[in-house]
Amino acid sequence: MAEQQVFTIASIPADGVGKEVVAAGRTVLDALAEQSGGAFSFDWTEFPWGSEYYDQHGVMMDPHGLEDLQDFDAIYFGAVGWENVPDHVSLWGLRLNITQNFDQWANIRPVRFLPGVVSPLRTAETTELDWVVVRENSEGEYAGLGGRNLAGRGPGNEVAVQSSLFTEKGCERIIRFAFDLARTRTVQKVSSVTKSNAQQYGMVLWDEVFARVAADYPDVQTESVLVDAMSAKFVLHPEDLSVVVASNLNADILSDLGSALAGSLGLAASANLNPERRFPSMFEPVHGTAPDIAGQGISNPIGAIASAALMLDHFGLHDQARRVEAAIEATTAAGHLTRDLGGTAGTEEVTRAIVDALTASPVSA
């Protein structure tokens, strides 16, 4: 009998609906492990960090938190942000603290159109749409470089400087990541997105690196598109897309647009990867904390559960990841939809339906 694989996962539900959707994802993963016949299991450790922790301790996470996370196989994250903490403090104090210090430089956000979910795109009714946004996750517009000064001049005279950072190394590694990903897909194409007509330094460097790297992948189609034109393309010609690679800010915005076109931000999954595996990678839904519905049991768990499928891929459990994705599709096709998708199902009902779909599906050897 093969030795059981035990994957250690740090769970950080954080704030708002993050707590509900992380619990849902854990339920699905544990059900998957139970069905594995002892092939694998998950060892969970939950950390209480977030805005409530800030109220008690004045920081978003324990000062030694990064050391505590270092040896886990992965991090499963919910959502961060609440009214008691300024947004930039909560984000930089927890989520970005982890992604930056663990060099999780590749952020992938698949855009998937699910059966039973009505898309605002007419194209989705007749065309199979499936693309991935690859986001540079360590520098660019979110490098955190800059400052505020001259407040002593009085009200209305303060100056803020926010600098973007583009390095040749940072551009090349994310662009090569996108090309390698494209080679695994049915449509082998990479679309590079910049605003290099207006941002003539950092994004021109990105364009130059893209052209140089593309020469090493003659089998992959390429295009370079300005971000405003790509926003239109997401809506008007999404069938042309396969892998879209962009800077931190541009990919953040475009991936949200893609998820909205698929039906809801509640569907959007993401993986923050350290591809060299020097540090644990982190998996999280794209949506926020949703204070208006938090605690009501009506949040959409699909983004978090789809993020768990990305985590399974990271563990090498590819067949199991496909089973989770198929269970999600079976659930939406059967009409188990939360309110953001036009349905009436609650978080527990959708989670239970996904677990039932897993139970009904064959278990790979």
Side-chain angles (χ1 to χ4, degrees):
M1 179 180 293
E3 185 177 349
Q4 184 186 63
Q5 290 181 286
V6 179
F7 299 99
T8 60
I9 306 175
S11 170
I12 309 176
D15 302 322
V17 298
K19 300 174 183 179
E20 301 165 42
V21 299
V22 163
R26 289 180 58 168
T27 296
V28 171
L29 287 178
D30 287 339
L32 200 68
E34 289 177 11
Q35 297 172 18
S36 74
F40 61 89
S41 65
F42 303 106
D43 182 8
W44 299 94
T45 301
E46 183 164 310
F47 292 89
W49 304 328
S51 297
E52 292 180 11
Y53 189 88
Y54 185 91
D55 267 346
Q56 298 170 8
H57 303 280
V59 290
M60 291 296 294
M61 65 185 293
D62 188 278
H64 301 290
L66 293 174
E67 296 174 23
D68 294 337
L69 296 175
Q70 173 75 53
D71 294 328
F72 283 90
D73 293 319
I75 302 165
Y76 192 40
F77 193 84
V80 66
W82 207 251
E83 61 182 8
N84 64 310
V85 187
D87 287 344
H88 67 282
V89 173
S90 60
L91 189 63
W92 278 97
L94 185 54
R95 185 192 173 276
L96 288 178
N97 194 18
I98 296 169
T99 60
Q100 292 278 357
N101 284 289
F102 283 173
D103 198 22
Q104 295 169 351
W105 53 266
N107 176 235
I108 59 172
R109 295 183 171 188
V111 178
R112 290 207 169 95
F113 291 74
L114 297 174
V117 177
V118 177
S119 165
L121 282 178
R122 290 196 305 271
T123 310
E125 298 174 6
T126 57
T127 307
E128 184 174 341
L129 301 174
D130 176 18
W131 70 90
V132 180
V133 176
V134 174
R135 173 187 179 190
E136 201 294 313
N137 208 36
S138 66
E139 49 183 55
E141 304 87 352
Y142 294 175
L145 302 178
R148 295 172 61 174
N149 213 331
L150 305 182
R153 291 183 175 180
N157 290 292
E158 189 173 4
V159 175
V161 175
Q162 187 84 41
S163 298
S164 298
L165 174 70
F166 290 88
T167 67
E168 191 166 0
K169 175 182 177 179
C171 295
E172 179 165 348
R173 66 183 183 178
I174 195 65
I175 290 169
R176 285 195 182 277
F177 182 93
F179 273 96
D180 290 336
L181 177 60
R183 278 181 166 171
T184 70
R185 294 175 58 81
T186 303
V187 177
Q188 299 184 356
K189 178 181 179 181
V190 177
S191 303
S192 173
V193 182
T194 65
K195 189 61 177 172
S196 51
N197 58 342
Q199 296 176 294
Q200 73 271 42
Y201 302 121
M203 290 198 168
V204 169
L205 173 63
W206 176 293
D207 286 345
E208 292 171 352
V209 173
F210 181 77
R212 174 166 57 79
V213 172
D216 295 336
Y217 297 82
D219 52 312
V220 179
Q221 302 175 61
T222 64
E223 64 176 350
S224 294
V225 186
L226 296 177
V227 64
D228 38 3
M230 182 56 79
S231 299
K233 191 168 190 173
F234 264 45
V235 177
L236 300 176
H237 297 290
E239 69 279 0
D240 289 345
L241 304 173
S242 181
V243 175
V244 178
V245 62
S247 67
N248 219 326
L249 175 63
N250 288 338
D252 191 7
I253 295 170
L254 287 172
S255 60
D256 281 4
L257 173 59
S259 299
L261 295 174
S264 170
L265 274 181
L267 302 173
S270 78
N272 302 289
L273 302 175
N274 174 248
E276 302 89 355
R277 297 180 186 253
R278 293 182 296 113
F279 301 99
S281 295
M282 184 164 68
F283 303 83
E284 61 174 332
V286 172
H287 62 70
T289 57
D292 57 325
I293 62 169
Q296 299 179 35
I298 60 175
S299 58
N300 189 343
I302 289 179
I305 295 170
S307 299
L310 294 175
M311 183 161 58
L312 293 169
D313 273 325
H314 184 68
F315 292 154
L317 301 175
H318 304 297
D319 290 343
Q320 304 299 334
R322 303 292 81 76
R323 289 185 64 217
V324 172
E325 291 170 352
I328 291 172
E329 291 185 2
T331 296
T332 59
H336 300 286
L337 305 176
T338 47
R339 285 158 176 75
D340 57 311
L341 300 176
T344 59
T347 310
E348 289 188 11
E349 178 185 330
V350 172
T351 304
R352 186 169 59 252
I354 291 173
V355 171
D356 289 345
L358 281 175
T359 303
S361 69
V363 179
S364 300

